Amino acid sequence: MSIAATVLDRIQRVTQLPKVSLHEPTFGGNELKYVTECIETGWVSSVGEYVNRFERELAAYTGAAHAVVVSNGTSGLQVMLELVGVRRDDEVLVPALSFVATANAVRHCGAWPHFVDSDIRSLGMDVSKLDAYLREVGEIRVDGCYNRRTGRRIAAVVPMHTFGHPVDMPALMSLAERHRLEVVEDAAESLGSWIGDRHTGTFGRCAMLSFNGNKIVTTGGGGAIITNDAVLAKRAKHLTTTAKQPHAWAFFHDEVAYNFRMPNLNAAMGCAQLERIGSFLEAKRLLALRYAEAFRDVPEVSLFLERTGTKVNYWLQTLLLAPEVASQRDEILAVTNAAGQMTRPVWELLYTLPMYGACERMTTPVADDLARRIINVPSSPQLIAGVV
Amino acid sequence: MSIAATVLDRIQRVTQLPKVSLHEPTFGGNELKYVTECIETGWVSSVGEYVNRFERELAAYTGAAHAVVVSNGTSGLQVMLELVGVRRDDEVLVPALSFVATANAVRHCGAWPHFVDSDIRSLGMDVSKLDAYLREVGEIRVDGCYNRRTGRRIAAVVPMHTFGHPVDMPALMSLAERHRLEVVEDAAESLGSWIGDRHTGTFGRCAMLSFNGNKIVTTGGGGAIITNDAVLAKRAKHLTTTAKQPHAWAFFHDEVAYNFRMPNLNAAMGCAQLERIGSFLEAKRLLALRYAEAFRDVPEVSLFLERTGTKVNYWLQTLLLAPEVASQRDEILAVTNAAGQMTRPVWELLYTLPMYGACERMTTPVADDLARRIINVPSSPQLIAGVV
Ligand SMILES: Cc1ncc(COP(=O)(O)O)c(C=O)c1O
Ligand SMILES: Cc1ncc(COP(=O)(O)O)c(C=O)c1O
């Protein structure tokens, strides 16, 4: 059997369905009930009890002191970068291997992404390589770390927890302290992922979650900022809600701000989804075990599993092809998709996209390699019958 | 009776309710049905049939060739300004009398608002005053109109149709041609308002609609770009949906772009709301007549009515105080709000806000005057029993 045929066969053994998408939401809980309540009471818009409740419950679940819901993860990341002091023409360290939104949010602040290589153990930033790189490229001045080559300030670093697998945050935090960088976590994919007993997104100054339709918990579209910093949380709320000062009737807005609100209708759905995250996580963990088992006798393909000390949400199940079959990736993708088992490569590396081709970066051999070898396979929790 | 007591009495005669908000949505049509369908089929997120349908139906309703739904009006305005070529440090002409979002969207492009006085006949931009002003301040160069004072390019003008009352768009369009300005309409408040047989928002190069919770048609939060320009529409869709090139599986994004999508869940609500716009408009028109009648014997207060040649949506009913009682505006606001009849002044003039205090502007005596004399009164269509 060709490797493509083998991969298809193993995926089919796990999914046991003729046609499967990569990730689909499931709404078997209180979603309809809460949304109906919004419609019946008329509270569908930007102010409402579900907005407050979703924020409270996100904070409680992640252990962050504060959560501020927003219209989506990209906008949340943009606002956080502004709030931690990223300015026009600063640079921000982001993984070369990420969804394009991580870099776009940097550009939306007028700053420039600066790309970092990956760690094959986490799929996220390689912290020790970054440390060595910054010793060489960076120079500490009174207002932070500067890139010697470009003369620009390197204001922040944005670790991203790929498919739920956490970056080594304790190491990254001490790196950030050494090099005077603000840390803003892109936790879009890692709701339900932990390092020890700390939730991803609670290590840096603040973090963004995404509730896009393909995420572990969805609000249709939406996101949240989580943080332990009360001042930052308050500023984030203000800046994402047109900076209006409270008044019985007057419209006094005190700074240039955004309409990045999450409507109550969407927050209602989020509350219902969050109630069910335990069963989603359980199903995804079981699914990971089934894929791992199904590929046990295929030496060229392995399931990427959580590393010791972390607890991963297994948001997207991730196959890693052995280097010798990497050249067959596109055939595998073609065969599996043609057969109704939806699979996907990882993102194009960000520095290969036309708008980011001229940005600063270190050498990225690991990201380059991973980009050729990752395949995501069907990951919906409802593939595990009976759990969700 | 004091003027405040009289105003309260007249509002109560119209609303006939002990407690009334300024504007509340009503969801007695297919809202719940369509939203339920999204939840039951799982199509809640950024791609879905209601997104396409809402776009088609908005285009059909307004007569624009294309509509692109977005996460809200502010973001839609920002994207349109970018698309018509507004660049960092350009200036954009906006009314001094508008909601803060009109100016914020300009700043989000890195450009500067430049404030224009109001026409007391429309509550919108005074086109002939602007014409005279540009003759004095503007200078036509090869790439457009420049502000002689600042040396900056004046790239565009954003007429806003206040509370649904249309700006004199034919006059504005010929002004724009004379002075080489792009025209982007802020039609956030004017869905259902027409000049002759043309819908507001179809005169300029493109326009934004808002479906915020307080608007005539709501999606919880949301907006749309409408335009007759097929290229602009295509670019707007691309730029608001991460600029991903179509491919079976690969993630290739070809420019810095946004996640400004409207989720299908919200579009579903929009479709149901738009089905009912006829009855909303009918109710609001009746309500305007009732207010006009109720204040007929109060010479100090008049209802602002549509002018000949226009058909207004009467989104927010607008009282205009006579100059001699303008000083009692705050008392009227206090008395009516305390009595449960929600009323509101118009926005603080944008040049009085701290972040816009240093921006360019012409003298704005009419806007200054209007800002002291406008009071919005309860405007929900369901105040007219039996129509909605
Ligand atoms: C790594 C990463 N960053 C950012 C985002 C952007 O989040 P959103 O789609 O909610 O804007 C996503 C998800 O789409 C993501 O996966
Ligand atoms: C005149 C005007 N411009 C812009 C906006 C912004 O629209 P949105 O609230 O959908 O961002 C609004 C409505 O809130 C508005 O009334």
Side-chain angles (χ1 to χ4, degrees):
Chain A
M1 236 196 303
S2 75
I3 185 73
T6 303
V7 170
L8 173 60
D9 172 71
R10 295 307 190 276
I11 294 174
Q12 282 168 331
R13 281 193 208 172
V14 172
T15 67
Q16 300 189 356
L17 287 170
K19 196 160 165 31
V20 201
S21 68
L22 195 70
H23 199 283
E24 263 179 15
T26 154
F27 301 116
N30 286 321
E31 289 83 359
L32 186 56
K33 182 175 162 208
Y34 295 168
V35 163
T36 300
E37 193 193 309
C38 292
I39 292 177
E40 285 176 350
T41 60
W43 287 96
V44 302
S45 195
S46 40
V47 179
E49 213 18 76
Y50 282 113
V51 167
N52 303 335
R53 175 170 156 191
F54 195 34
E55 291 182 341
R56 274 197 314 272
E57 292 179 353
L58 284 169
Y61 183 77
T62 59
H66 310 276
V68 175
V69 294
V70 292
S71 48
N72 59 65
T74 310
S75 297
L77 185 51
Q78 171 189 345
V79 167
M80 289 192 297
L81 291 170
E82 283 184 34
L83 286 176
V84 304
V86 172
R87 294 284 162 268
R88 190 178 162 69
D89 284 334
D90 282 345
E91 293 176 9
V92 175
L93 296 159
V94 304
L97 189 74
S98 187
F99 180 58
V100 70
T102 314
N104 285 344
V106 172
R107 285 302 295 136
H108 297 156
C109 298
W112 298 95
H114 183 150
F115 298 112
V116 178
D117 200 12
S118 308
D119 184 335
I120 195 137
R121 292 167 304 178
S122 70
L123 309 180
M125 280 183 171
D126 184 330
V127 179
S128 55
K129 185 168 175 182
L130 179 57
D131 196 27
Y133 176 75
L134 287 173
R135 275 179 220 277
E136 193 190 311
V137 166
E139 180 185 300
I140 302 290
R141 298 195 200 150
V142 57
D143 61 338
C145 181
Y146 277 75
N147 180 341
R148 283 186 221 272
R149 242 183 53 84
T150 59
R152 288 177 178 144
R153 189 169 68 122
I154 303 178
V157 56
V158 181
M160 192 280 283
H161 308 295
T162 314
F163 309 137
H165 295 277
V167 170
D168 182 353
M169 288 305 300
L172 187 79
M173 291 311 295
S174 72
L175 168 146
E177 205 180 324
R178 261 192 317 282
H179 296 281
R180 306 259 189 98
L181 302 169
E182 290 283 349
V183 180
V184 175
E185 294 178 64
D186 180 341
E189 306 183 349
S190 70
L191 183 65
S193 288
W194 308 74
I195 301 173
D197 57 1
R198 275 174 78 178
H199 194 277
T200 50
T202 62
F203 291 82
R205 182 89 177 277
C206 49
M208 161 272 270
L209 307 172
S210 168
F211 310 116
N212 193 18
N214 61 353
K215 295 297 187 288
I216 189 163
V217 157
T218 186
T219 59
I225 291 169
I226 59 173
T227 184
N228 289 319
D229 180 331
V231 175
L232 191 143
K234 206 172 163 202
R235 294 273 306 125
K237 192 72 180 181
H238 195 61
L239 210 55
T240 56
T241 59
T242 77
K244 187 173 179 301
Q245 292 189 347
H247 187 282
W249 59 68
F251 285 91
F252 194 83
H253 307 259
D254 58 18
E255 61 183 314
V256 178
Y258 302 95
N259 178 6
F260 284 161
R261 299 181 183 99
M262 176 185 289
N264 203 49
L265 184 74
N266 303 78
M269 172 168 278
C271 288
Q273 287 265 290
L274 195 59
E275 289 172 352
R276 302 170 65 212
I277 193 170
S279 64
F280 296 163
L281 289 169
E282 197 183 326
K284 284 170 167 293
R285 179 161 293 271
L286 257 172
L287 195 57
L289 295 179
R290 293 204 187 155
Y291 276 118
E293 178 61 24
F295 282 95
R296 214 157 51 100
D297 66 342
V298 186
E300 301 91 343
V301 184
S302 58
L303 191 79
F304 194 83
L305 289 166
E306 74 191 358
R307 65 183 197 287
T308 318
T310 69
K311 182 140 194 205
V312 167
N313 66 3
Y314 286 108
W315 167 55
L316 282 190
Q317 309 288 347
T318 304
L319 299 181
L320 206 54
L321 305 182
E324 61 273 22
V325 295
S327 63
Q328 289 166 67
R329 188 199 70 174
D330 283 3
E331 194 196 328
I332 297 171
L333 291 167
V335 166
T336 48
N337 280 294
Q341 306 291 314
M342 188 171 164
T343 60
R344 226 177 50 179
V346 75
W347 314 283
E348 299 288 321
L349 293 176
L350 294 177
Y351 72 82
T352 68
L353 301 179
M355 61 285 195
Y356 296 126
C359 291
E360 290 286 289
R361 64 183 163 108
M362 59 171 73
T363 59
T364 56
V366 178
D368 295 5
D369 175 50
L370 282 173
R372 285 187 292 261
R373 299 206 282 127
I374 287 175
I375 292 182
N376 291 121
V377 293
S379 304
S380 301
Q382 55 275 40
L383 287 172
I384 302 295
V387 176
V388 178
Chain B
M1 239 198 296
S2 75
I3 185 75
T6 304
V7 170
L8 173 61
D9 172 72
R10 296 307 189 275
I11 294 174
Q12 281 168 331
R13 281 193 206 173
V14 173
T15 67
Q16 300 190 352
L17 287 170
K19 196 162 163 36
V20 201
S21 67
L22 195 70
H23 200 284
E24 262 179 16
T26 153
F27 301 117
N30 286 319
E31 289 82 0
L32 186 55
K33 181 175 164 210
Y34 295 168
V35 163
T36 300
E37 193 193 309
C38 292
I39 293 177
E40 284 176 351
T41 60
W43 287 96
V44 301
S45 193
S46 40
V47 179
E49 212 18 73
Y50 282 113
V51 168
N52 302 335
R53 177 172 154 190
F54 195 34
E55 290 181 341
R56 273 197 315 273
E57 293 179 352
L58 285 169
Y61 182 77
T62 59
H66 310 276
V68 174
V69 293
V70 293
S71 48
N72 59 65
T74 311
S75 297
L77 185 52
Q78 172 189 346
V79 166
M80 288 193 297
L81 291 171
E82 283 184 36
L83 286 176
V84 303
V86 172
R87 294 284 162 269
R88 190 177 163 68
D89 283 334
D90 282 346
E91 293 175 9
V92 175
L93 296 159
V94 305
L97 189 74
S98 186
F99 180 58
V100 70
T102 314
N104 286 343
V106 172
R107 285 302 295 137
H108 296 156
C109 299
W112 298 95
H114 183 149
F115 298 112
V116 178
D117 200 12
S118 308
D119 184 335
I120 195 139
R121 291 167 304 180
S122 71
L123 307 181
M125 281 184 172
D126 184 328
V127 180
S128 55
K129 184 166 176 184
L130 178 57
D131 196 26
Y133 176 74
L134 286 173
R135 276 179 221 276
E136 190 191 314
V137 166
E139 180 185 301
I140 302 291
R141 298 196 199 150
V142 57
D143 62 339
C145 181
Y146 277 75
N147 181 339
R148 283 185 222 271
R149 245 183 52 84
T150 59
R152 290 179 178 142
R153 188 169 70 122
I154 303 177
V157 56
V158 182
M160 192 279 284
H161 308 296
T162 314
F163 310 137
H165 295 276
V167 170
D168 182 354
M169 288 307 298
L172 187 77
M173 292 312 294
S174 72
L175 167 145
E177 205 181 323
R178 260 191 319 281
H179 296 282
R180 305 260 189 98
L181 301 169
E182 290 284 350
V183 180
V184 175
E185 293 178 65
D186 181 341
E189 306 182 349
S190 70
L191 183 65
S193 287
W194 308 74
I195 301 173
D197 57 1
R198 276 175 79 178
H199 195 277
T200 50
T202 63
F203 292 82
R205 182 89 177 277
C206 50
M208 161 273 270
L209 307 173
S210 168
F211 310 115
N212 193 18
N214 62 354
K215 296 296 187 289
I216 189 163
V217 156
T218 186
T219 60
I225 291 169
I226 60 172
T227 184
N228 288 318
D229 180 332
V231 174
L232 191 143
K234 206 171 162 203
R235 294 273 305 125
K237 191 73 179 178
H238 194 60
L239 210 56
T240 55
T241 60
T242 77
K244 186 173 180 301
Q245 292 189 347
H247 188 283
W249 59 68
F251 285 91
F252 194 83
H253 307 258
D254 57 18
E255 60 183 315
V256 178
Y258 302 95
N259 179 6
F260 284 161
R261 297 180 183 100
M262 176 185 289
N264 203 50
L265 184 75
N266 303 80
M269 172 167 277
C271 287
Q273 286 266 290
L274 195 58
E275 289 172 353
R276 302 170 65 213
I277 193 171
S279 64
F280 296 162
L281 289 169
E282 197 184 325
K284 283 170 167 293
R285 179 161 292 272
L286 258 172
L287 195 56
L289 295 179
R290 293 205 189 155
Y291 277 118
E293 179 61 25
F295 282 95
R296 216 157 51 101
D297 66 343
V298 186
E300 301 90 344
V301 183
S302 58
L303 191 79
F304 194 83
L305 290 165
E306 74 191 357
R307 65 183 197 287
T308 318
T310 69
K311 182 139 194 205
V312 166
N313 67 4
Y314 286 109
W315 166 54
L316 283 191
Q317 308 288 347
T318 305
L319 299 182
L320 206 55
L321 304 183
E324 62 273 22
V325 295
S327 63
Q328 290 167 67
R329 188 198 70 174
D330 284 1
E331 194 196 329
I332 297 172
L333 291 167
V335 166
T336 49
N337 281 293
Q341 306 290 314
M342 188 173 166
T343 60
R344 227 177 49 180
V346 75
W347 315 283
E348 299 287 320
L349 292 176
L350 294 177
Y351 73 81
T352 69
L353 301 180
M355 62 286 194
Y356 297 126
C359 291
E360 289 285 290
R361 63 184 163 107
M362 60 171 74
T363 58
T364 56
V366 178
D368 296 3
D369 174 50
L370 282 173
R372 287 187 289 262
R373 299 205 282 128
I374 286 175
I375 292 182
N376 292 120
V377 292
S379 304
S380 302
Q382 55 276 39
L383 287 172
I384 302 294
V387 177
V388 177

